[in-house]
């Protein structure tokens, strides 16, 4: 059974919506699960999240940002993700590929640094499945700014930054562990596509139902 599932995509792509709908499907299907997010998901990680996502005058150096994300991930992974994986499916809003797209593709930090940190902090723990919601960044940012008032530090970066992040997600290759979903459909249609995919792949030890929202 696949247990660690991460949702990835640009801001406003619809990740949180799809995570919520899938969680409902799991609940109705009688499966035990734990929902979480990054950066955040544990007490200290949520404190670090505030530094990262709150819009502020002072810039954060790229390496500082990467180290803060890994400090948060260290707490979150060891205190929440790993313990919950013992007897639950873990649904996580963002994980490794967000760091790759947002911190590595937009800076001069080499990929080897990310790989080094990831191996030291997580012992190379990767999700069993990463579900990427693909949408153009102009649509995502618009949706995101309509929803959020405060946590907008990344949204207010320039369009070159967003292009790089967005291209990073678009260029992720479909593999056994990465699946890409078109985010331009309605939320219920995307949910159906995700549930169909998971059921077809026999991801869980039973078939899960759809859960549509108005
Ligand atoms: P993310 O977690 O990727 O930032 P959200 O799930 O929070 O995205 O969605 C951002 C906004 O877009 C929310 O207001 C949400 O209701 C809306 N939304 C989500 N999915 C869709 C969709 N498929 N079509 C149109 N709007 C959507
Ligand atoms: P999130 O709450 O998922 O934002 P949204 O709901 O808009 O998609 O994530 C907050 C921000 O954190 C998001 O703009 C991307 C950023 N982020 C990184 O830059 N690197 C990372 O490794 C992670 C996990 C998030």
């Amino acid at each position: 059974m696949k247990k660690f599932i991460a949702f990835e995509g640009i801001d406003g792509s619809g990740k949180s919506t799809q995570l919520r709908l899938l969680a409902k499907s799991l609940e109705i299907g009688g499966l035990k699960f734990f929902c979480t997010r990054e950066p955040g998901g544990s007490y200290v990680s949520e404190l670090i999240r505030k530094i990262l996502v709150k819009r502020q005058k002072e810039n954060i150096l790229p390496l500082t940002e990467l180290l803060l994300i890994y400090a948060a991930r260290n707490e979150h992974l060891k205190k929440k993700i790993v313990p919950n994986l013992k007897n639950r499916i873990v649904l996580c809003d963002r994980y490794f590929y967000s760091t790759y797209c947002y911190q590595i593709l937009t800076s001069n930090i080499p990929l080897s640094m990310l790989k080094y940190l990831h191996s030291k902090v997580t012992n190379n723990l990767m999700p069993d499945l990463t579900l990427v919601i693909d949408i153009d960044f102009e649509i995502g940012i618009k949706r995101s700014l309509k929803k959020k008032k405060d946590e907008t530090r990344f949204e207010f970066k320039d369009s070159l930054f967003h292009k790089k992040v967005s291209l990073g997600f678009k260029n992720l290759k479909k593999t056994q562990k990465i699946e890409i979903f078109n985010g331009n459909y309605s939320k219920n249609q995307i949910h159906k596509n995700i549930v169909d995919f998971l059921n077809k792949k026999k991801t869980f030890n039973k078939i899960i139902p759809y859960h549509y929202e108005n």
Side-chain angles (χ1 to χ4, degrees):
M1 184 162 106
K2 301 278 190 290
K3 296 214 298 183
F4 182 14
I5 300 180
F7 284 78
E8 296 279 14
I10 58 162
D11 300 89
S13 55
K15 298 177 306 309
S16 320
T17 303
Q18 292 307 323
L19 191 151
R20 187 177 70 241
L21 293 176
L22 181 59
K24 266 285 176 193
S25 292
L26 297 179
E27 189 185 323
I28 299 163
L31 288 161
K32 280 167 81 177
F33 63 93
F34 174 72
C35 295
T36 189
R37 67 172 181 181
E38 288 209 340
S42 74
Y43 181 76
V44 173
S45 314
E46 287 289 330
L47 295 177
I48 298 172
R49 176 189 173 92
K50 289 202 173 69
I51 304 173
L52 287 162
V53 301
K54 268 200 152 179
R55 204 164 163 224
Q56 60 208 6
K57 283 206 189 85
E58 182 81 21
N59 76 321
I60 303 178
L61 295 171
L63 184 57
T64 312
E65 198 172 280
L66 179 64
L67 294 172
L68 284 172
I69 283 165
Y70 268 88
R73 187 162 291 154
N74 189 45
E75 288 285 315
H76 181 220
L77 189 98
K78 288 166 186 161
K79 293 183 180 169
K80 298 289 177 181
I81 296 182
V82 170
N84 275 290
L85 278 172
K86 287 198 180 109
N87 58 355
R88 284 180 159 72
I89 296 156
V90 171
L91 302 182
C92 190
D93 196 335
R94 296 190 182 279
Y95 187 65
F96 176 86
Y97 292 111
S98 281
T99 319
Y100 169 68
C101 292
Y102 282 85
Q103 277 67 49
I104 302 303
L105 296 183
T106 64
S107 76
N108 294 323
I109 301 173
L111 179 58
S112 56
M113 172 72 87
L114 170 62
K115 287 188 170 165
Y116 178 79
L117 284 171
H118 200 69
S119 76
K120 290 292 167 196
V121 169
T122 75
N123 202 14
N124 288 324
L125 184 78
M126 288 298 276
D128 297 301
L129 258 179
T130 296
L131 308 179
V132 183
I133 315 286
D134 178 31
I135 197 167
D136 290 337
F137 74 90
E138 292 92 343
I139 301 174
I141 299 299
K142 237 187 235 167
R143 279 191 197 163
S144 201
L145 287 175
K146 220 169 133 187
K147 183 185 84 172
K148 297 201 269 187
K149 296 202 165 48
D150 201 22
E151 296 192 332
T152 53
R153 194 173 73 84
F154 287 96
E155 280 82 349
F156 276 96
K157 287 187 183 271
D158 62 23
S159 62
L160 182 62
F161 177 91
H162 292 296
K163 261 186 206 158
K164 286 179 181 167
V165 174
S166 162
L167 250 183
F169 284 119
K170 280 185 191 296
N171 286 339
L172 288 179
K173 299 258 178 315
K174 174 177 151 49
T175 65
Q176 275 293 91
K177 295 193 164 194
I178 301 180
E179 186 68 20
I180 296 151
F181 293 89
N182 185 338
N184 291 300
Y185 297 118
S186 71
K187 59 182 180 181
N188 286 338
Q189 181 62 51
I190 301 167
H191 170 69
K192 180 178 185 302
N193 294 346
I194 289 176
V195 169
D196 286 346
F197 167 79
L198 295 172
N199 282 336
K200 200 170 159 199
K201 228 176 133 113
K202 297 191 166 53
T203 308
F204 309 114
N205 52 17
K206 55 167 90 162
I207 296 297
I208 55 163
Y210 306 121
H211 170 76
Y212 295 128
E213 255 180 25
N214 293 322

